[in-house]
Amino acid sequence: SLIFVIIVFGILLFSLPEIAWCKASGGQPGAFLSWGAGARSLGMGKAFVSIADDASATYWNPAGLAQIDRKEVTALHAILWADTIYDFISYVHPITSIGTVGGSFTRLYSGEFDGRDEYNYFTHKFSDSQTAFGLSYGKQIVDVLALGASIKYVTHNLDSHKNGNFTADVGAMYKTPLVEHLQLGINLRNLAGLRTGEHTEDKLPLTLRFGFNYKLLRDRLALVVDLEKSRVPLSYHFGAEYWAFNYLAVRLGTVSYTHLRAHE
């Protein structure tokens, strides 16, 4: 049965039909919040909603905070194209009998743009910055079920223009008693929104992410699948993690999007 599971997972991982290998969410409001958080989850193709057992749970699934039993911090700093950087930092703090709380900060920053007037004369330098501040909470409700929620404030500053959104996420994790070593995870992002600042029609899209992981070899090997649906086509995330030793893990993953066909 182990060989069968690995073969099926491998087929899904490398030969999905009707898949286009492209990124399709760059133009939507708050798209930077889909970029990921943490080297571990990114190494698994962003298939992490059903695992989320470290400080990046504030990003992937707040219900995962219930699995954390010690203070933890994680940070990511990525230098992208010219004068553009992406940052993520998260801190989580378990509180006995209450649950686990966490705080996070996400930012995409681009600078050194030239401002010009109607005659194309240089006027000043300006930047484009998108940030998100989040507070999260997760708790184990019963042995097989954990719930969590996050409140975020997302802002967009472009030169002297500024707008923001308050939004909420909810998540859950479930260990089904029907299948041993199988855990399910779900996260709903941007359930409600309140816009602030200058008038804008931008609205953060409701996003659903669902996934599961199955552990083998005495929990050393995890096979993970995530599906995400937003305004963009359905995306598929496949990952695997194998702990060779207590402090050494090998990970692989891939991300793909459903192919959009033009209709006459």
Side-chain angles (χ1 to χ4, degrees):
S1 59
L2 170 59
I3 295 176
F4 175 76
V5 171
I6 294 176
I7 291 175
V8 171
F9 185 82
I11 293 173
L12 288 172
L13 182 61
F14 295 109
S15 59
L16 282 173
E18 304 299 326
I19 297 297
W21 298 85
C22 61
K23 192 163 185 176
S25 61
Q28 72 182 24
F32 77 106
L33 293 175
S34 67
W35 286 27
R40 181 185 175 200
S41 54
L42 292 175
M44 298 168 66
K46 301 183 184 179
F48 211 65
V49 72
S50 65
I51 295 181
D53 57 0
D54 57 29
S56 67
T58 56
Y59 177 94
W60 295 107
N61 188 348
L65 293 171
Q67 305 173 100
I68 301 173
D69 57 7
R70 61 182 180 180
K71 301 173 187 177
E72 189 172 326
V73 63
T74 187
L76 171 69
H77 176 72
I79 301 174
L80 306 176
W81 51 88
D83 299 309
T84 299
I85 58 174
Y86 177 72
D87 294 301
F88 172 80
I89 186 168
S90 176
Y91 171 74
V92 297
H93 190 115
I95 302 175
T96 305
S97 76
I98 295 178
T100 302
V101 297
S104 62
F105 170 77
T106 311
R107 183 182 75 153
L108 177 66
Y109 174 86
S110 296
E112 298 301 316
F113 294 107
D114 289 343
R116 296 184 178 274
D117 61 19
E118 64 270 26
Y119 304 106
N120 201 33
Y121 290 119
F122 173 81
T123 57
H124 65 292
K125 293 283 188 180
F126 70 93
S127 63
D128 183 2
S129 177
Q130 300 180 73
T131 60
F133 300 89
L135 293 175
S136 303
Y137 172 75
K139 182 175 176 60
Q140 196 75 34
I141 305 303
V142 293
D143 288 343
V144 297
L145 177 65
L147 299 178
S150 296
I151 298 176
K152 296 181 299 187
Y153 180 54
V154 184
T155 65
H156 186 186
N157 298 314
L158 178 59
D159 198 1
S160 60
H161 302 280
K162 179 178 180 179
N163 60 68
N165 281 273
F166 285 98
T167 185
D169 307 341
V170 296
M173 282 191 168
Y174 179 69
K175 293 181 179 180
T176 171
L178 301 177
V179 181
E180 192 176 3
H181 305 298
L182 179 68
Q183 180 164 277
L184 311 178
I186 187 170
N187 188 22
L188 281 169
R189 289 184 176 177
N190 308 322
L191 278 176
L194 174 64
R195 281 173 280 188
T196 64
E198 299 180 16
H199 177 72
T200 175
E201 297 299 323
D202 288 349
K203 184 179 180 181
L204 298 176
L206 178 65
T207 302
L208 168 67
R209 181 182 281 263
F210 169 79
F212 64 88
N213 73 82
Y214 186 75
K215 293 187 176 180
L216 306 163
L217 304 179
R218 297 182 180 179
D219 292 343
R220 287 187 173 273
L221 172 64
L223 305 179
V224 196
V225 178
D226 276 18
L227 287 82
E228 184 177 31
K229 184 68 178 73
S230 184
R231 290 177 184 171
V232 298
L234 181 67
S235 62
Y236 305 84
H237 306 257
F238 299 89
E241 179 181 60
Y242 176 68
W243 286 93
F245 305 100
N246 290 337
Y247 299 100
L248 176 64
V250 178
R251 303 181 180 100
L252 60 86
T254 186
V255 183
S256 54
Y257 295 81
T258 51
H259 184 65
L260 290 180
R261 299 179 182 275
H263 297 279
E264 296 182 356

